[in-house]
Amino acid sequence: MLEIWESEERDLKELLKKILRKTPAYWEQISTRNMLNTRIANLEKKQEMMFWWSMNQPGESMRETKLRVYLNMPKAEGKIRQHQLDYLGILEKTAAIFEANGLTYWPMGGTMIGAVRHNGFIPWDDDLDISMMSEDKEKLFDIFNSLDEFIIEEVYWSDNLLLRCPRIRYADESKNGCIDIFLWERADDEANGDPVLWEKRQKYARMKEAAFKELKPSLKQSLFKGEAIRDPQDKKKVEQLFEEIYAKQRQEIQKSGNTIYGQIDMWFEAGRWKGVYRLEDMLPMKKVKFETMELPVPKNYDEFLTMQYGDWLSLPGMVSPKHTQF
């Protein structure tokens, strides 16, 4: 029943948008809003520049100033810090297992920013994202399925796009901490951010969404919010959907492996980012401090982060946890 209400609410909102778009007043409001947003952004940029210049020390480049300020930023406190330490505990254990079994991994997104900018968690971050190669997925599941301490399972989202990722968590549900894993595929010899390769990837992402739309009526549950599919028949149908798309995708794209790109399973669509990187910018990886341990990061991590976030050393616009209520 909840799924029906949410679907009807989305349809109603979309209908209202279509009606409003036909009125001149709507577009006038949009134009005014965009103008004000531009002015506010320019003002915020000037204020940020003044802040960084006030922190700059003699003989220091502006990049060095920014890194020094971030590295000296206080750690989180209270419940969010305890949450981070819980997650650090599972990261320490799983990273040791990855390395003992020869699995290539590196931090993703905010976890990578935390490693290279803060030498630990971003003070307001509340999750852990790790990248691995899709070719290691079967080995990853075999290893963690053999360990009593952990559970590894696919978790799914379908409130917007159909997405999924392997998640590692404790078997003991009283323990806090989990790790989501973003998987990457191999391509051939494309450049970083290559638009042609990315459009091929997007073609199969769209194909996945069209196939899921057709599949929905046959599922007992079709709305997932970061959870495993419990019904065996539903799980089999959705897994088969992914495998059929993979087969077509890899036949067209996967070649010698000099380039990697983000798999269609997960969020690689955000903003301007085209998740395509040459292996020469990733290997050999370098180790950086992350809290009590060291994590491998891509050799050219600045390229990774700049392509995803733009200026990842700029002051953040929002400093609150995104995934957890404290």
Side-chain angles (χ1 to χ4, degrees):
M1 183 64 71
L2 179 60
E3 290 182 44
I4 295 172
W5 287 342
E6 289 179 343
S7 177
E8 289 178 349
E9 183 181 7
R10 285 194 298 270
D11 291 344
L12 180 59
K13 286 180 179 178
E14 190 59 37
L15 177 61
L16 288 172
K17 282 182 183 178
K18 289 179 180 178
I19 294 171
L20 287 171
R21 284 180 189 135
K22 296 180 180 179
T23 64
Y26 172 80
W27 291 109
E28 186 176 340
Q29 288 179 1
I30 294 294
S31 177
T32 302
R33 185 192 67 184
N34 291 342
M35 179 188 68
L36 290 172
N37 286 340
T38 300
R39 289 184 179 180
I40 291 169
N42 289 338
L43 180 60
E44 289 174 346
K45 193 67 179 175
K46 289 177 182 177
Q47 290 175 330
E48 180 176 345
M49 289 171 63
M50 291 174 65
F51 168 78
W52 287 122
W53 279 115
S54 73
M55 300 301 294
N56 186 252
Q57 294 182 354
E60 202 175 48
S61 70
M62 191 54 68
R63 181 183 176 87
E64 290 170 338
T65 297
K66 292 179 179 181
L67 286 171
R68 173 177 54 79
V69 169
Y70 280 119
L71 284 171
N72 285 284
M73 190 174 286
K75 298 287 187 184
E77 297 179 347
K79 290 182 179 180
I80 185 172
R81 183 56 179 167
Q82 184 56 55
H83 180 85
Q84 291 175 347
L85 293 175
D86 291 344
Y87 273 56
L88 176 62
I90 195 170
L91 177 62
E92 289 175 330
K93 292 179 178 182
T94 54
I97 294 167
F98 295 159
E99 292 178 8
N101 288 276
L103 291 172
T104 300
Y105 73 101
W106 64 98
M108 173 91 174
T111 307
M112 191 191 299
I113 288 182
V116 300
R117 199 175 73 181
H118 300 268
N119 286 166
F121 284 97
I122 298 172
W124 50 92
D125 201 5
D126 61 345
D127 71 340
L128 285 170
D129 293 323
I130 295 295
S131 284
M132 298 184 75
M133 296 303 300
S134 64
E135 62 206 46
D136 289 331
K137 181 178 178 180
E138 184 176 350
K139 182 178 180 181
L140 174 73
F141 271 76
D142 287 344
I143 291 167
F144 278 87
N145 279 329
S146 71
L147 301 173
D148 293 335
E149 186 176 6
F150 301 101
I151 287 176
I152 184 168
E153 58 188 356
E154 295 274 15
V155 295
Y156 292 79
W157 293 260
S158 64
D159 48 339
N160 185 11
L161 301 172
L162 173 64
L163 302 165
R164 72 174 184 175
C165 76
R167 174 175 289 170
I168 300 170
R169 59 180 175 87
Y170 289 113
D172 182 350
E173 294 187 357
S174 68
K175 291 185 176 182
N176 182 35
C178 68
I179 295 174
D180 287 342
I181 298 175
F182 287 63
L183 298 173
W184 295 73
E185 298 277 355
R186 293 183 185 270
D188 195 4
D189 196 27
E190 295 83 1
N192 288 346
D194 182 72
V196 176
L197 172 57
W198 191 247
E199 178 50 35
K200 289 179 183 178
R201 185 263 184 200
Q202 292 297 80
K203 177 178 73 175
Y204 291 102
R206 292 190 293 269
M207 195 181 297
K208 173 197 65 178
E209 296 306 316
F212 183 62
K213 186 175 181 180
E214 290 184 8
L215 183 64
K216 273 184 179 182
S218 70
L219 300 176
K220 294 182 178 68
Q221 178 186 354
S222 62
L223 180 62
F224 309 107
K225 296 184 177 181
E227 60 197 284
I229 300 178
R230 298 304 176 194
D231 182 84
Q233 292 302 315
D234 280 1
K235 183 177 180 181
K236 183 178 180 180
K237 290 176 183 178
V238 176
E239 286 182 345
Q240 184 177 354
L241 180 156
F242 275 100
E243 292 306 320
E244 288 175 356
I245 302 296
Y246 290 157
K248 296 173 184 177
Q249 171 190 331
R250 289 168 179 160
Q251 186 175 13
E252 178 179 2
I253 300 176
Q254 192 165 0
K255 302 204 180 145
S256 65
N258 295 324
T259 299
I260 62 172
Y261 67 96
Q263 196 179 60
I264 62 171
D265 285 25
M266 278 296 275
W267 289 286
F268 292 95
E269 282 83 4
R272 59 198 280 273
W273 189 27
K274 293 180 174 62
V276 178
Y277 298 100
R278 289 181 58 76
L279 282 176
E280 65 185 30
D281 282 317
M282 186 173 79
L283 302 173
M285 293 196 194
K286 57 178 73 173
K287 289 289 187 84
V288 299
K289 178 177 170 58
F290 188 89
E291 301 289 348
T292 58
M293 59 186 294
E294 289 189 329
L295 285 179
V297 298
K299 177 179 70 174
N300 191 358
Y301 63 79
D302 185 64
E303 179 80 358
F304 271 64
L305 293 175
T306 300
M307 285 178 63
Q308 184 175 1
Y309 294 103
D311 184 4
W312 55 276
L313 288 172
S314 64
L315 293 176
M318 187 173 118
V319 289
S320 62
K322 289 194 297 185
H323 306 283
T324 311
Q325 295 286 336
F326 293 100

